Amino acid sequence: MTVGHIQAVDRALQILEALAEAGTPLTLSAISARAGLHVSTAYRLLRTLHRRGFVEQDTETGQYRIGVRAFRVGSSFLEEIGLGRRLRPMLADLAARTGETANLVVRDSLEAVYIDHVIGNKVSKLFTEIGQRVPLHCTAVGKVLLAYAPPAERDDLLAHLDLRRLTPNTITSRSALRRELVAVRSAGCAVDREEHELGVACVAAPVWGASGHLVAAMGVSGPGGRVLTAVGALSERVRAAAAEASRALGGEAFRASEGQRQPGRKGVVQR
C-alpha cells in the first residue's frame, strides 16, 4: 500500500467519524469542514464510500449519513460486547466455584479490555473494572490473547508491544515472552504472577468461537498469595469454564497441549 493509499484510507475514516459524531445527516460542505478536508477531496471519497454502502445520500437534500455497510461492520463489535451477556452464566459459575472475581476479556489492538465480570464471595477488594484496559504482556488474559492469536498476527503484536516493567515480576524480554506463550499453549491457560500489579494474581484460558477462532479470554483474579497458592485448582476451574463458554458459542474445547482437536470436535489450535 502506497502513502497515497494510506492517506485515502485515513481521510475516508475521518469522514465516517465526522458523520458518526454528528449524529444527523450532513451536507458535503459540513462534512469537509468537520473532517478538515478540501471539498473536492471529501466529495471524491464520499462517492467511493457511497458506492460501497458505507454512506447513504438523501436524493432530495443531498445530505449524507452513515450507511448500512458501516453498521454491519460496527455491529461485529456489538456482537463481541454481547459475549458478556451470553457467557454470564459461566462467569457466575466460575466466580461461585472459586470465590474470586471471574473476568471476560477481549483484545483491542495492543491491549486487553474487560467486557464483563462477576464478583466472588471471597472478594473484599475489586481488582478489575468493566471497560478497563490492560497490557497484553503482563496479564493472564493478555497472555492468552497473545498465545492463541494466529502465528503471523502474534509475531506482529510481539514486534509492536511496549514491554514496560510494571512490577519486579513483569516479563520485559521478547524472547522470554515468547517462551512464556509457548508454556501457555502447552498448559492451556496463563498465569499472571503479580506481573501487572503487586499483590494481584490471575489465571486465564481461551474461549473459542464457532469457526474455531479465539474470541475472548476468561479468567479469575484475586489476591496474589491466595491465587498463586491455589493456582493448580484454579487453572482446572478456569479451563473448564472457558471450555463450557466455547461450547455455548458453538465453538469447541481444544486440547492445547497437543494442538489437536478433542475426539468428535472440530477446529485446530494455532501453534
Side-chain angles (χ1 to χ4, degrees):
M1 182 177 288
T2 66
V3 173
H5 288 135
I6 294 172
Q7 255 186 351
V9 171
D10 185 64
R11 289 170 175 173
L13 291 174
Q14 285 176 251
I15 288 175
L16 290 176
E17 288 172 352
L19 285 168
E21 290 168 3
T24 58
L26 297 174
T27 63
L28 171 60
S29 59
I31 291 170
S32 65
R34 282 174 174 262
L37 301 172
H38 192 277
V39 172
S40 61
T41 300
Y43 177 69
R44 186 175 65 254
L45 292 169
L46 279 165
R47 287 184 60 188
T48 300
L49 290 169
H50 181 265
R51 187 176 68 251
R52 296 294 302 274
F54 283 89
V55 301
E56 296 175 355
Q57 185 178 26
D58 189 301
T59 54
E60 293 185 2
T61 66
Q63 293 181 318
Y64 296 88
R65 61 177 177 269
I66 291 289
V68 67
R69 189 71 181 274
F71 170 76
R72 288 173 183 167
V73 172
S75 67
S76 66
F77 173 74
L78 295 179
E79 289 172 5
E80 186 173 61
I81 294 302
L83 285 174
R85 182 179 66 255
R86 298 170 68 184
L87 302 185
R88 178 156 277 256
M90 296 80 183
L91 279 181
D93 184 65
L94 181 59
R97 288 178 181 275
T98 64
E100 307 294 354
T101 298
N103 304 297
L104 187 66
V105 183
V106 298
R107 182 172 68 82
D108 181 21
S109 187
L110 300 177
E111 296 178 304
V113 184
Y114 288 82
I115 63 171
D116 200 10
H117 66 195
V118 176
I119 302 169
N121 58 23
K122 292 182 183 178
V123 177
S124 58
K125 175 186 175 183
L126 194 59
F127 297 108
T128 63
E129 296 179 3
I130 295 175
Q132 178 182 358
R133 292 173 172 269
V134 294
L136 297 176
H137 70 293
C138 57
T139 56
V141 289
K143 286 189 277 189
V144 163
L145 296 171
L146 271 177
Y148 290 99
E153 185 177 354
R154 183 169 63 240
D155 288 342
D156 185 62
L157 289 168
L158 287 170
H160 291 90
L161 282 178
D162 175 13
L163 304 185
R164 59 190 182 278
R165 183 180 299 280
L166 297 178
T167 79
N169 303 321
T170 304
I171 296 173
T172 57
S173 159
R174 293 186 202 284
S175 59
L177 182 56
R178 286 184 181 278
R179 290 192 295 272
E180 176 78 356
L181 299 182
V182 170
V184 169
R185 293 194 295 275
S186 177
C189 66
V191 180
D192 164 8
R193 302 170 181 83
E194 301 188 15
E195 298 162 48
H196 178 246
E197 181 180 350
L198 287 177
V200 181
C202 311
V203 181
V207 176
W208 303 97
S211 61
H213 64 286
L214 180 71
V215 295
M218 180 177 285
V220 294
S221 57
R226 188 166 71 209
V227 168
L228 295 176
T229 298
V231 71
L234 287 174
S235 296
E236 290 184 14
R237 293 288 191 192
V238 169
R239 282 193 297 260
E244 183 61 28
S246 299
R247 287 189 286 272
L249 295 177
E252 309 299 337
F254 291 83
R255 185 183 300 160
S257 61
E258 297 180 8
Q260 299 174 348
R261 60 185 178 93
Q262 293 185 356
R265 303 191 184 279
K266 62 185 179 180
V268 179
V269 172
Q270 296 281 0
R271 300 295 290 180

